[in-house]
Amino acid sequence: MTNIVLDSLKTRRSCRSYQPDQIKPEELSAVLEAGTWAPTAMGTQEPFIVVVQNPDKIAQIERLNASVMGNPDGHPFYGAPTLLIVFADASRGGVFVEDGSLVMGNLLNAAHAVGLGSCWIHRAREVFGTEEGKAMMKEWGVPETYAGIGNCILGYPVQEAPAKPRKDGYVIFD
């Protein structure tokens, strides 16, 4: 079966090398809109997406992320000019990670659909659990009960990554 959505899902890859140019506002808007349409448990729509395009703020968050990763001199955001941080309400117990993860998936897939590179960078929960991270959340108006789910880096890819073959036995039929 041929379908533009299915084809896009099959060709999306994580991007770890970005051009320095900032993405266009209409591309960002399309990606963000897709994030807001992610399913959430009981339709609560409780996740937040914080957009960071200030290079100094991105560098600050990247430094915290690298420290959590155990490599304070690392660059886990790979030079991406835009950072989207997804937060979800941890007081919701067993569904907040799933709700935020669905938002992240929509962001990643929408980015590819509009010609952007993207990658999920983990450790948002740890970064925004620090005092410095909590201060940023407060500055952005993100409630204290929320936890970081993931960082979605965005930009124009330097090159497209080839697809790896899918493993045998990925799907099991009963």
Side-chain angles (χ1 to χ4, degrees):
M1 172 183 274
T2 301
N3 175 286
I4 192 167
V5 173
L6 297 176
D7 290 344
S8 185
L9 292 172
K10 290 177 189 176
T11 57
R12 192 208 74 77
R13 298 288 168 268
S14 293
C15 179
R16 292 180 179 86
S17 182
Y18 295 88
Q19 298 176 28
D21 308 323
Q22 188 53 266
I23 64 175
K24 296 179 180 108
E26 60 271 18
E27 294 164 336
L28 176 59
S29 180
V31 171
L32 293 170
E33 182 177 14
T36 70
W37 284 100
T40 56
M42 300 187 316
T44 59
Q45 303 178 40
E46 104 297 328
F48 286 113
I49 306 165
V50 173
V51 180
V52 183
Q53 292 185 307
N54 177 306
D56 294 333
K57 183 67 85 170
I58 291 173
Q60 177 187 9
I61 298 165
E62 182 177 47
R63 177 185 48 79
L64 290 170
N65 193 290
S67 292
V68 168
M69 186 172 58
N71 181 8
D73 298 323
H75 294 283
F77 293 168
Y78 302 102
T82 296
L83 169 63
L84 308 179
I85 309 158
V86 174
F87 293 92
D89 189 355
S91 71
R92 294 201 60 227
V95 298
F96 80 101
V97 172
E98 291 82 354
D99 284 354
S101 295
L102 287 164
V103 172
M104 284 290 294
N106 274 21
L107 296 173
L108 296 166
N109 287 314
H112 177 64
V114 299
L116 298 173
S118 67
C119 190
W120 179 321
I121 306 298
H122 211 53
R123 297 171 294 280
R125 189 172 313 169
E126 295 87 350
V127 165
F128 294 100
T130 67
E131 290 307 313
E132 193 172 351
K134 288 177 185 177
M136 281 185 261
M137 289 174 62
K138 186 174 184 176
E139 172 188 328
W140 296 324
V142 176
E144 291 178 7
T145 59
Y146 278 61
I149 300 299
N151 302 286
C152 176
I153 55 174
L154 297 175
Y156 300 111
V158 169
Q159 63 186 15
E160 295 294 324
K164 293 179 183 176
R166 301 296 92 178
K167 69 179 182 179
D168 290 334
Y170 211 126
V171 178
I172 300 170
F173 286 93
D174 177 13

